[in-house]
Amino acid sequence: MPKPETDAWELVRAAQAGDPQAFALIYRRYAGLVHRYTLHRLGDHGLAEDLTSETFLRALRRIGTLRYQGRDLGAWLVTIARNLVFDHLKSSRHRLEVPTEDPNSRLPAHHLALDPEQQVLARMTLVEVTGQLGRLVADQQECLRLRFLYGLSVAETAHLLGRNEAAVRALQQRAVRRLAGLLRTSLR
């Protein structure tokens, strides 16, 4: 049985050899990342849980064909989740759903420890930043989400966006500058 601190690619090799505990450790290590990604993209806890489960089901089915390519395993899992989110958003079922809550108004858990005044300011800031984020072009939005909301590296982000690392750095820099300009204008 692999230890929890085992390298992710060692876990992949063990899972490929048929060790169910190895895949369980992969799930424990990356389920939070995948769930945060799907929740942020869709704003629906139940749907995020469903797509997280489906992500790992597909990963389990494909684990035998996975080969090391110099990237973190999390990037592969987020790619699967990203494709599931896109499929869901393209489906006609999604167009019939009506959201009842603004997902951008939710504070991250670490903000809940703040005093009430700081929580209000944090919520206002979150709403303003996410509102302005929506005014960026799609590639810039996705780049900033992957880098800052999900904490992916430049290499992982480049893999997910199908670009090289230099292009992601440039895209991120342009996106941050544009977002800063939008925020300066909106806060006047």
Side-chain angles (χ1 to χ4, degrees), residues 2 4-17 22 26 29-30 62-77 156 159:
E5 66 273 4
T6 303
D7 172 75
W9 288 100
E10 288 178 34
L11 292 173
V12 168
R13 286 187 289 280
Q16 289 172 332
I26 291 170
R29 187 175 292 178
Y30 292 101
R62 298 178 190 155
I63 197 88
T65 62
L66 183 61
R67 299 289 172 253
Y68 179 74
Q69 296 178 345
R71 292 179 171 72
D72 182 59
L73 182 61
W76 178 64
L77 293 165
E156 293 164 338
H159 174 71

Side-chain angles (χ1 to χ4, degrees), residues 14-181:
Q16 289 172 332
D19 183 351
Q21 293 300 320
F23 194 81
L25 289 172
I26 291 170
Y27 177 84
R28 277 189 234 132
R29 187 175 292 178
Y30 292 101
L33 171 69
V34 171
H35 185 265
R36 282 190 306 277
Y37 177 81
T38 56
L39 178 61
H40 182 75
R41 294 294 304 208
L42 301 169
D44 179 319
H45 285 282
L47 185 55
E49 289 174 6
D50 290 347
L51 291 185
T52 298
S53 296
E54 181 63 24
T55 296
F56 283 93
L57 181 61
R58 288 187 183 189
L60 181 59
R61 286 183 192 141
R62 298 178 190 155
I63 197 88
T65 62
L66 183 61
R67 299 289 172 253
Y68 179 74
Q69 296 178 345
R71 292 179 171 72
D72 182 59
L73 182 61
W76 178 64
L77 293 165
V78 170
T79 299
I80 295 170
R82 183 177 186 225
N83 291 337
L84 288 168
V85 167
F86 286 155
D87 289 347
H88 173 75
L89 293 175
K90 287 189 306 188
S91 75
S92 60
R93 182 174 166 255
H94 169 70
R95 287 188 280 270
L96 299 174
E97 294 173 0
V98 178
T100 58
E101 175 187 5
D102 178 9
N104 296 327
S105 67
R106 279 191 231 109
L107 285 176
H110 65 276
H111 283 146
L112 299 178
L114 301 173
D115 67 51
E117 181 181 356
Q118 290 173 320
Q119 282 186 26
V120 168
L121 291 173
R123 186 177 312 279
M124 290 171 60
T125 302
L126 178 64
V127 167
E128 186 61 32
V129 168
T130 54
Q132 296 303 328
L133 185 65
R135 295 180 61 195
L136 299 177
V137 295
D139 284 351
Q140 291 177 340
Q141 289 179 39
E142 189 72 4
C143 179
L144 293 183
R145 282 189 183 107
L146 292 171
R147 291 283 295 127
F148 300 114
L149 294 176
Y150 309 122
L152 297 182
S153 69
V154 171
E156 293 164 338
T157 302
H159 174 71
L160 288 172
L161 295 178
R163 297 175 179 226
N164 65 44
E165 292 181 30
V168 167
R169 285 188 194 95
L171 178 64
Q172 177 183 318
Q173 185 178 28
R174 285 191 309 273
V176 168
R177 283 185 182 160
R178 174 84 173 116
L179 184 59

